[in-house]
Amino acid sequence: MNNEKRYEIFRRFREANPHPTTELEFDSPFELLVAVTLSAQATDVSVNKATAKLFPVANTPEAIYALGEDGLKEYIKTIGLYNSKAKNVIAACKMLIDLHHSEVPDDREALEALPGVGRKTANVVLNTAFGHPTMAVDTHIFRVSNRTGIAKGKNVVEVEKKLLHFVPKEFLVDAHHWLILHGRYICVARKPRCGACLISDLCDYKEKNL
């Protein structure tokens, strides 16, 4: 994989989808933070179903904190790991109220200090809510990056660093959305849909499913 191929890959992604975004539904940085926290080891579809009921009732740190863990669980009990997620979201709301004037901080260190917020969640919030050129490497991006040869790495942090280095700057803000969508719908885990792939001629994958 060389820089010319990488440029063409992202050029095609942009041409096909000029304004990509997360499939999580949100109307504020706080709603996004909650949705991403809930999405760990769960589908975006399941999170959207839960937040469609939760957010009309409570969509601020104060309102969700007022629900308490038990009240919040009633809205998110269809999502995996909902007990621990409820505990983390309530604790994060308390920190946002006490330390950040109920605003989601536009700062990695402050985000990662919130309960339930790791590097990947912080990257999603920084990118999607605040427009930072970050790379939230999930299983889809890890697979696509290694399989295609765009950025090979043994772990998510290594892949993240290589993507930030190799992806042309003009594509960085949107790159993680394109890669997630590509991994979710085309470059799937078991049987990649190479015949429907925009970049199959540029990809390094040896076992193409054509």
Side-chain angles (χ1 to χ4, degrees), residues 17-18 22 26 53 76 91 93 104 122-124 132 163 185 201 207:
N17 185 5
T22 177
F26 70 98
K53 296 177 181 177
I76 67 170
C93 287
V104 175
N123 277 335
V124 172
H132 289 232
L163 283 169
Y185 298 110
D201 58 315
E207 302 164 36

Side-chain angles (χ1 to χ4, degrees), residues 110-159:
L111 283 168
E112 290 188 20
L114 298 171
V117 178
R119 185 177 185 86
K120 187 180 79 172
T121 297
N123 277 335
V124 172
V125 173
L126 288 170
N127 176 274
T128 306
F130 300 115
H132 289 232
T134 59
M135 205 63 68
V137 179
D138 67 352
T139 54
H140 296 303
I141 291 184
F142 185 78
R143 178 177 68 253
V144 170
S145 297
N146 276 289
R147 184 185 271 168
T148 61
I150 291 171
K152 293 186 176 182
K154 295 176 182 176
N155 56 61
V156 293
V157 174
E158 192 175 335
V159 169

Side-chain angles (χ1 to χ4, degrees), residues 15 22 27-29 31 33 80 82 87-88 90 93 127 130 134 144 148 158 169-170 190 193:
E15 185 176 54
T22 177
D27 287 317
S28 69
E31 287 188 2
L33 175 65
Y82 73 92
K87 182 178 181 180
N88 284 334
I90 293 297
C93 287
N127 176 274
F130 300 115
T134 59
V144 170
T148 61
E158 192 175 335
K169 286 186 179 179
E170 69 183 271
R190 292 189 178 180
R193 299 176 57 222

Side-chain angles (χ1 to χ4, degrees), residues 61-205:
E62 290 87 354
I64 289 184
Y65 186 71
L67 290 176
E69 280 185 47
D70 289 339
L72 179 56
K73 285 177 188 177
E74 286 301 307
Y75 290 96
I76 67 170
K77 61 188 177 183
T78 54
I79 301 172
L81 308 175
Y82 73 92
N83 284 312
S84 61
K85 288 175 181 179
K87 182 178 181 180
N88 284 334
V89 169
I90 293 297
C93 287
K94 184 74 166 72
M95 284 184 68
L96 290 173
I97 294 165
D98 291 346
L99 302 178
H100 301 289
H101 308 288
S102 299
E103 297 290 330
V104 175
D106 181 2
D107 175 81
R108 174 185 299 284
E109 188 175 349
L111 283 168
E112 290 188 20
L114 298 171
V117 178
R119 185 177 185 86
K120 187 180 79 172
T121 297
N123 277 335
V124 172
V125 173
L126 288 170
N127 176 274
T128 306
F130 300 115
H132 289 232
T134 59
M135 205 63 68
V137 179
D138 67 352
T139 54
H140 296 303
I141 291 184
F142 185 78
R143 178 177 68 253
V144 170
S145 297
N146 276 289
R147 184 185 271 168
T148 61
I150 291 171
K152 293 186 176 182
K154 295 176 182 176
N155 56 61
V156 293
V157 174
E158 192 175 335
V159 169
E160 178 186 331
K161 288 179 178 177
K162 286 190 175 182
L163 283 169
L164 290 172
H165 176 72
F166 285 131
V167 175
K169 286 186 179 179
E170 69 183 271
F171 302 116
L172 263 179
V173 171
D174 291 323
H176 110 263
H177 294 301
W178 286 319
L179 292 171
I180 285 175
L181 293 169
H182 193 65
R184 187 172 285 167
Y185 298 110
I186 302 296
C187 198
V188 294
R190 292 189 178 180
K191 195 174 182 182
R193 299 176 57 222
C194 301
C197 178
L198 282 174
I199 62 166
S200 61
D201 58 315
L202 302 167
C203 165
D204 286 350
Y205 188 45

